[in-house]
Structures are given as C-alpha cells and as structure tokens.
Amino acid sequence: MSTEVSVKKENATKGEWKCPTSQGHIPSEDVRKVWKECQQESFWYRALPLSVGSMAVTGTLIYNGIWKTSKRFGPFPKLAVAGILGFAVGKASYISTCRRKLQELGPGIDPPFGPWSGPFNRGPRSCQHVCEECKKKVPAGPTE
C-alpha cells in the first residue's frame, strides 16, 4: 500500500497521473487477435498482389523496350523498387480497414497508428478521467 502511495506522489510531482481504471499499455487478447488478422489480411489481400502486379507491369515495360535496363545490373533494380513500392502502398492502403476493425472492439481501444502515435508522441496517452478519490489525494501545489 505504501508503494502505491509513493508512486502516486511521484507522479504528482511530475504533474502526470495515470488513470486507475485503464489497463495501461497491455493489449487484450481481442486486440492481439484483430492486430494479427490485420497483418495477415493486409499482406495477402493488398501488399502481395500490389507488389506482384507492379513487378509484372515493370517487367512488361522493360521487356517491350519502353523502359531500359541497367547496363550493370539489368532489370533487377527496377523490379525490386517496383516490388517494394507496391508492398508499401498495399500495407498503407489497409490502415483504414484495420483502424475500423480495432474501433469496433470498443471505445477505449486506440490503434497503434494514426496522429496520436508515432515518433513525436512517446508513451501511452494519459487518461483524462480523474476519480473522486484521486482528486482528494492530490497535494496542493505551491501558488505563484
């Protein structure tokens, strides 16, 4: 019990409180299942077909002489770039579908992508909920 109070006091000095009703950063089994399903579906239904399709179009353009091959490496660099771009576009095109699937699980679940996640927003979002018990325990700060 004393460690819980010290953690709350430590967080209070930092000006950040964690929501006592949330589960923090631990995803539930439903979220893990939907996330794995999204990864598999985005690969099989979008990334792989677009990658193979873009490589086929690029190969056709090279074969017909519309695009020239590299003298040193042949057609492989252009085919590789087409495959990588097709894969990236396919994965990116499935983000909205995965976001919708994750939002269908419930209102408290945020997908690990979007404007609230990324390199500029580190760590889990803090909860805006403050219970009455926490309001009573907040130490009065110095007034300046």
Side-chain angles (χ1 to χ4, degrees):
M1 178 111 175
S2 63
T3 58
E4 183 179 344
V5 173
S6 66
V7 169
K8 286 186 178 183
K9 285 182 181 179
E10 181 181 299
N11 286 341
T13 58
K14 293 179 183 178
E16 180 181 345
W17 284 85
K18 299 292 181 194
C19 181
T21 60
S22 70
Q23 293 181 357
H25 214 273
I26 302 170
S28 66
E29 289 299 318
D30 293 337
V31 174
R32 287 186 187 135
K33 180 182 174 187
V34 170
W35 184 251
K36 185 176 181 180
E37 180 181 303
C38 279
Q39 291 295 318
Q40 290 178 350
E41 287 179 1
S42 67
F43 175 77
W44 289 108
Y45 298 136
R46 302 273 177 95
L48 186 66
L50 281 175
S51 179
V52 170
S54 63
M55 289 174 68
V57 168
T58 302
T60 303
L61 292 172
I62 291 171
Y63 181 76
N64 289 335
I66 297 171
W67 284 357
K68 295 184 180 181
T69 61
S70 169
K71 291 178 182 171
R72 183 173 179 186
F73 298 110
F76 299 114
K78 288 184 174 123
L79 290 172
V81 168
I84 290 169
L85 285 176
F87 185 85
V89 168
K91 281 286 195 177
S93 70
Y94 208 74
I95 287 177
S96 62
T97 305
C98 285
R99 181 178 289 138
R100 182 180 38 79
K101 285 182 177 186
L102 286 169
Q103 287 174 346
E104 287 174 0
L105 290 177
I109 298 174
D110 292 329
F113 46 79
W116 50 83
S117 65
F120 301 112
N121 188 4
R122 301 283 182 196
R125 291 176 25 193
S126 61
C127 179
Q128 301 299 324
H129 168 76
V130 179
C131 63
E132 294 300 320
E133 183 180 328
C134 292
K135 286 180 184 177
K136 292 176 186 175
K137 291 183 180 179
V138 174
T143 56
E144 294 181 34

